Amino acid sequence: MVLIRMNYITPPSDDGFREIQFEVNGMPREIRVRDKAASEGTTIIRQADPTVPGEVPATLSGSVLRLIAAKGDVVKKGDPLMVTEAMKMETTITAPIAGIVQEICVAAGSRITSGDLLAVIE
């Protein structure tokens, strides 16, 4: 016999997820689930894959101040792509590899969290 008891469900977060805390045979469990009704109009931010050298991640949580590179630009390793701001500090995000900017995944003013995919270079 399996006993499942619901303890609580949080209100939806800004990104449309709820945390659900429950017990299975007395052992506490917690999961995050997307509330489709609460997440209408929100967008899911892709996370950069650290094993793909051309995926540019956000270094800190904050916001994008301005974009320097655009889709189709040819960049060298170390060229500036965009400027982000976190805790009143500006950071210039640079190209990790040489190549062509295939995609810019954010816009100026976008809120970002650490690890979010900012750009793709091939």
Side-chain angles (χ1 to χ4, degrees), residues 56 76-82 92-97 121:
V56 182
K76 294 180 286 197
K77 182 177 181 174
D79 281 355
L81 300 174
M82 63 190 68
T92 301
I93 304 296
T94 59
I97 62 171
I121 300 170

Side-chain angles (χ1 to χ4, degrees), residues 35-114:
D35 183 339
K36 291 181 182 179
S39 63
E40 287 180 9
T42 62
T43 57
I44 297 176
I45 305 295
R46 296 186 340 217
Q47 296 295 300
D49 184 349
T51 63
V52 179
E55 291 194 359
V56 182
T59 54
L60 296 170
S61 296
S63 61
V64 177
L65 288 181
R66 67 182 171 276
L67 299 175
I68 299 170
K71 183 178 178 179
D73 287 357
V74 177
V75 294
K76 294 180 286 197
K77 182 177 181 174
D79 281 355
L81 300 174
M82 63 190 68
V83 178
T84 61
E85 182 270 332
M87 299 178 287
K88 298 186 181 181
M89 295 185 329
E90 291 185 10
T91 304
T92 301
I93 304 296
T94 59
I97 62 171
I100 299 172
V101 178
Q102 296 296 315
E103 183 179 1
I104 297 289
C105 304
V106 293
S110 296
R111 299 287 307 157
I112 55 173
T113 59
S114 181

